[in-house]
Amino acid sequence: MGTVERRRRSGASALTLLCATALLAVSAMTGVAQAAPMPEPGAKSLEQVRKEIDELYRQAGTATDAYNLAESEAKAQSAKIVEIAKQVVAGQDRITALKNRAGAAARAQYRSGGMPAGAQLALSNSPSQFLDGADRIRQGEKATTALLSEMNRTQSDLQQYAKDASAQWEKLEANRIKQETSKKQIEEKIKSAEALESKLQAEEKARLIQLEQEAQYKAQTAWLSTGVLKEINTSASESGKKAVQYATAQMGKPYEWGAEGPSSFDCSGLTSQAWRAAGKSIPRTSQEQLRLLPKVAIKDMRPGDLIIYFDDATHVGMYVGAGAMIHAPRPGRNVTLAGAGSMPIKAVVRPDA
């Protein structure tokens, strides 16, 4: 083969290779375009959307905690008002009984003529009989004084009950306003988050869930890499086992803010009901659970303990062992199993310490 021929064929081969490379590049670009359209300049990435939705639901969780706390306080105040009402009725009955006794004493005195002791002595045929009567009169006067004092105390109690009832009604109204404000905030945040999600295509929604899982997996892996599971080896108490059994049985049920079961739950509704099923009454909200329940170190964590998440303590899950926890995540998600370290841990509390 001549030199010219070799050069011609070599040039043709190079041209063929170049065309093939260009074709592959175009095909690859076309494939990418079909799988995930390139975002318009200035458009948010799916990861940015995920973070924005997550933050909106976090804010809704904060408002939910405020709503639940106001609701718990309102229930306590309503119960207090009922108790005060019972005390008022009992006090009124007591006043009626005391008035009847006072009336009976007055009628008895009227029947005796209401005569002074000296006159009764002068008219009495028997000094000893008079002295006995005088003693009874002194006793009667003493009883009357005691009767009047008791009536005054009861009247004073009734006045205090009225003040207490008024104060409780004011608190009840304040909590009603708090509930309404929190409810509005919750609905606004959830509506905004749902609006963002509704703009996504089906493929993007699937990818969004994948991104959520990847973020949780990354956080869980980082938590486990500290060797924390080597330290956590405490077994559950009997009541802790019952709480875990209850929580586990709720898996698959939807999240609903303010819900305490049986068909749906929010995060603290799940944990509080699980421990109620185990025979232990605990605070309704994650923030109150953190404030009022005994804290334990993560290395001493055992199944049934509650893990409080985020700096503002607005989420809670129940540790079930092996580095996992059960929780009600957020609106649009169901009660599920997740990594105990998949979110920032603020503290661990123990209901049956």
Side-chain angles (χ1 to χ4, degrees), residues 143-160:
T144 300
T145 300
L147 180 64
L148 292 173
S149 295
E150 189 172 355
M151 286 182 67
N152 288 334
R153 284 196 302 272
T154 305
Q155 290 281 15
S156 178
D157 288 344
L158 286 173
Q159 291 174 355
Q160 186 59 48

Side-chain angles (χ1 to χ4, degrees), residues 35-49:
M38 294 295 288
E40 297 178 2
K44 296 177 182 177
S45 69
L46 194 57
E47 175 62 12
Q48 288 174 320
V49 172

